[in-house]
Amino acid sequence: MFTITNIVVASLALGAVQALPQHIHARQDNATSTPAAPAVPVSTPDIFDDLLTAPTAIKRFQRLLTVGEGPEGPELLKGDDLRKATVFTFDRNAKPAPGAEGGVAVAANIGNFPILTGLGISTTVGFLEPCGINTPHVHPRATEMLTLVEGEKMEFGFVLENALVGPKQNPEVAGYLNAFEATVFPQGSIHYQFNNNCKPATFVAALNSEDPGTSQIAQNFFALNSEVVDATLGFPGQINSKNIDEFGASLPANLARDARACMAKCGQ
């Protein structure tokens, strides 16, 4: 079983990147004429101005899902307009950032699916290629429950806060998932997923915040002052102020190809 340390070191050596595609679901504006006027698109900033200041939940849903304010009240959107406001597509073919090889993660959150505002939930679907890794990261505002829906023996690990175990004991909670098995990553825990197989894997992650946030551990650690990084790692002969910028620049943004053994096993 790969430890988080193995994953971080491998991501340093093998790097690749991905980006979370922004599927902006612009809904339709409320018209004020009588009878109800056709729905017209509005910009995302305008949507959030209304959603975040709506006095009640029903007012927020009216802003998203209705149009017009005639004598009989607002009218529900229809057809494609209603679909755009209520359906999010997790595009398996979404393009990651240039150079990505490990896969792609597509997130539905308050930033790209406005109907989630105030609902306290979001979802990410991850498409991991053979030997792909979702490198160690944390969600500062959410607990995650992750279910594998395609693949087998997808490895995972997480580390909680300090003092779970003794000072010289391994604190990593590690395991693997088969299809339709799930695990949980508590809020703030460092965690990763690794598809140590020669076939693609797909997972669905539910998070209990519409704005969970993500912070990649290695990438953001190496963004710190190089002297602090040197002192923390304690490996001046390997990573020091002379080469820290080179290491930091080569880190993957998120999903990375890892495990030379896996790649060799799969003939890559």
Side-chain angles (χ1 to χ4, degrees), residues 172-184:
E172 181 183 353
V173 179
Y176 67 87
L177 299 175
N178 288 317
F180 303 109
E181 293 181 339
T183 192
V184 110

Side-chain angles (χ1 to χ4, degrees), residues 21-216:
Q22 299 299 306
H23 298 275
I24 302 298
H25 290 255
R27 75 157 300 269
Q28 311 304 318
D29 196 9
N30 288 351
T32 55
S33 58
T34 304
V40 290
V42 297
S43 68
T44 299
D46 289 340
I47 291 175
F48 289 116
D49 284 347
D50 272 359
L51 297 185
L52 297 176
T53 57
T56 65
I58 197 64
K59 291 293 185 183
R60 189 170 64 244
F61 286 123
Q62 284 178 336
R63 176 67 183 86
L64 285 165
L65 303 177
T66 69
V67 65
E69 295 181 0
E72 298 181 359
E75 178 184 356
L76 194 66
L77 296 174
K78 296 181 175 64
D80 289 343
D81 291 333
L82 185 61
R83 180 175 172 80
K84 289 176 182 178
T86 57
V87 176
F88 186 92
T89 299
F90 293 96
D91 184 6
R92 186 172 195 138
N93 297 314
K95 293 183 178 180
E101 298 177 354
V104 66
V106 184
N109 54 46
I110 189 175
N112 53 21
F113 197 32
I115 198 170
L116 294 177
T117 305
L119 299 186
I121 192 169
S122 59
T123 301
T124 294
V125 175
F127 305 102
L128 286 176
E129 296 299 327
C131 307
I133 291 176
N134 193 5
T135 57
H137 59 282
V138 300
H139 301 297
R141 292 178 292 279
T143 289
E144 173 182 347
M145 185 169 183
L146 182 146
T147 303
L148 186 68
V149 297
E150 178 186 28
E152 62 180 10
K153 292 189 175 179
M154 183 186 75
E155 299 179 12
F156 69 85
F158 67 88
V159 173
L160 296 170
E161 61 195 271
N162 297 349
L164 174 68
V165 296
K168 295 185 178 181
Q169 302 299 316
N170 180 10
E172 181 183 353
V173 179
Y176 67 87
L177 299 175
N178 288 317
F180 303 109
E181 293 181 339
T183 192
V184 110
F185 302 119
Q187 181 175 342
S189 63
I190 302 171
H191 60 280
Y192 68 90
Q193 300 87 38
F194 172 35
N195 181 24
N196 190 10
N197 287 287
C198 301
K199 294 182 180 180
T202 303
F203 64 78
V204 176
L207 301 106
N208 64 338
S209 170
E210 65 264 39
D211 181 26
T214 300
S215 178
Q216 299 302 133

